Amino acid sequence: MTQLPLKKLDIVTVVFSGELALLRLQARSIAREFHASALGDIFVIINDHEEAACAEAVEAMRGDYGPFAGKLKVVRPDELLSDCPTLGTRLERFYLTHLRGVGRKLRGAGGGWRGNGGWGMQQALKLMAARLGASPYLLVLDAKNQFVAPVTGSDFVAGDGRPRSRVVETEEKQQGWIRASFAKLDLPVPALPATAPPTVTPVVFARDDLRTALAVIEEKLGPIELFFARRRGKATEFMLVYAALDQGRGLWWELHAEGLPASFTLFTGCGVDRVSELVAAARRGDCKMIGTHSRLLAAMTETVRKDLVEFWRERGLIRSDSEIEALFHA
């Protein structure tokens, strides 16, 4: 009898202080919806210039993970750094970790790790998560993602053991990310980048594949946090992994199966008028995950957010008026 592949996943979320209220919703949604047999460890990586305070706040919500509270691991970026192979990269890392953030903080910029750009560091840390844990698969989330239906290992890993991905029709912006990422690694760009794997979470990797991709990327670009701290052009974290594994030869779909659930997520460009559509889709069971960008939450009026708050209450994801206030005025 053929043994079915182990489908246990570690979850990783990179978070900064402005997303802590959203992370609490995610934690409660994991506790409610994630099948215990599929869950390895839960890694929350801190990406905030007030690192200690942010880490303490994440630790304080351990109970929100319910039966999985013991699986929570709060990770500081320093734990993920690779060796710097040259004197130049060692000097650059010293500047990045000890000097750069001072000036940026005085200018009111650089809210991420050690005062560096939060969005760039978030991308680097998602890739560096390959160095964490031991489960065979890694599910990468953003704090904005919440589970709204039961999920099992089969939602993220196919029966043949391949992690699930999905075909996404790209727009001009995403095509620019693809071309730039392949170019950074000196790989041939797919002839018609009209489709690609997801550029946003959720994304699931076989851990060994992500480690392989990270090694390819760092061999070419150097330590990944230094690359994302510099002018990286239009390359993005997930498209760099796509390039490293695909090699311009169409290998991605040999390594991945279709069927990855999408997160029905509203970003800042979507407009708050679509909130009711998001909630209706979740109530109908059209999706397993939803999300709203933190900046979009801040733009919502009380009338617009009513449906969303009611849905969160129904699911047990918010439990007090103070939590509502934290979500919409972070």
Side-chain angles (χ1 to χ4, degrees):
M1 181 176 178
T2 302
Q3 185 176 2
L4 292 175
L6 180 65
K7 297 180 180 179
K8 196 174 286 290
L9 304 104
D10 289 338
I11 293 176
V12 61
T13 304
V14 181
V15 72
F16 70 100
S17 57
E19 293 180 322
L20 289 171
L22 282 169
L23 183 69
R24 188 181 300 278
L25 301 187
Q26 182 182 103
R28 291 172 179 170
S29 77
I30 291 171
R32 176 185 171 109
E33 307 292 0
F34 221 92
H35 198 284
S37 65
L39 187 58
D41 286 318
I42 301 167
F43 295 101
V44 176
I45 304 174
I46 305 302
N47 180 30
D48 198 275
H49 67 285
E50 299 292 347
E51 190 174 311
C54 190
E56 184 177 348
V58 174
E59 182 61 46
M61 64 178 72
R62 179 177 292 274
D64 292 297
Y65 288 92
F68 307 128
K71 295 179 178 290
L72 174 64
K73 308 289 190 296
V74 183
V75 181
R76 305 287 189 94
D78 285 9
E79 301 173 42
L80 302 176
L81 298 178
S82 61
D83 293 334
C84 284
T86 66
L87 175 60
T89 55
R90 289 193 290 273
L91 291 173
E92 188 173 1
R93 180 176 285 168
F94 180 84
Y95 169 71
L96 178 72
T97 56
H98 294 91
L99 302 176
R100 188 178 190 228
V102 176
R104 292 171 67 86
K105 188 173 183 179
L106 290 174
R107 299 194 305 271
W113 171 62
R114 299 292 179 91
N116 293 284
W119 189 57
M121 288 298 99
Q122 181 188 52
Q123 293 185 68
L125 292 168
K126 286 176 181 177
L127 300 188
M128 293 158 71
R131 299 177 179 131
L132 291 168
S135 295
Y137 302 99
L138 187 68
L139 174 61
V140 182
L141 303 177
D142 287 316
K144 62 179 175 284
N145 301 129
Q146 302 132 35
F147 296 96
V148 294
V151 291
T152 69
S154 296
D155 287 300
F156 303 106
V157 183
D160 62 6
R162 288 182 297 163
R164 293 194 186 277
S165 186
R166 57 189 175 87
V167 175
V168 177
E169 293 187 5
T170 61
E171 298 177 353
E172 185 176 351
K173 178 190 292 186
Q174 286 81 16
Q175 291 174 12
W177 295 345
I178 295 166
R179 288 191 290 267
S181 299
F182 275 81
K184 286 290 184 184
L185 300 182
D186 290 333
L187 292 167
V189 180
L192 293 172
T195 61
T199 59
V200 296
T201 55
V203 175
V204 60
F205 298 109
R207 185 182 302 281
D208 287 346
D209 288 347
L210 184 57
R211 285 175 174 161
T212 295
L214 181 58
V216 169
I217 293 166
E218 291 199 317
E219 182 178 4
K220 184 68 179 178
L221 305 178
I224 196 65
E225 78 282 0
L226 303 186
F227 172 73
F228 276 102
R230 299 191 298 260
R231 293 177 58 86
R232 66 186 185 285
K234 293 183 178 180
T236 65
E237 80 281 44
F238 295 144
M239 292 302 94
L240 282 168
V241 174
Y242 172 39
L245 295 180
D246 186 87
Q247 295 286 310
R249 294 186 285 140
L251 300 179
W252 182 267
W253 291 109
E254 294 181 16
L255 297 171
H256 296 82
E258 254 287 5
L260 177 68
S263 176
F264 283 31
T265 297
L266 300 184
F267 296 93
T268 50
C270 295
V272 295
D273 55 316
R274 293 188 57 200
V275 170
S276 293
E277 296 177 28
L278 180 78
V279 173
R283 286 199 171 110
R284 288 194 305 267
D286 292 349
C287 54
K288 290 181 179 287
M289 301 176 71
I290 65 168
T292 50
H293 195 283
S294 56
R295 291 180 184 172
L296 190 64
L297 290 177
M300 290 182 191
T301 64
E302 187 171 351
T303 300
V304 170
R305 74 193 195 197
K306 181 179 178 182
D307 283 348
L308 189 57
V309 169
E310 184 177 347
F311 177 75
W312 280 337
R313 284 192 184 278
E314 292 169 4
R315 311 295 294 188
L317 303 187
I318 54 173
R319 300 169 185 171
S320 69
D321 290 342
S322 63
E323 290 178 358
I324 297 173
E325 184 72 15
L327 280 161
F328 292 99
H329 299 284

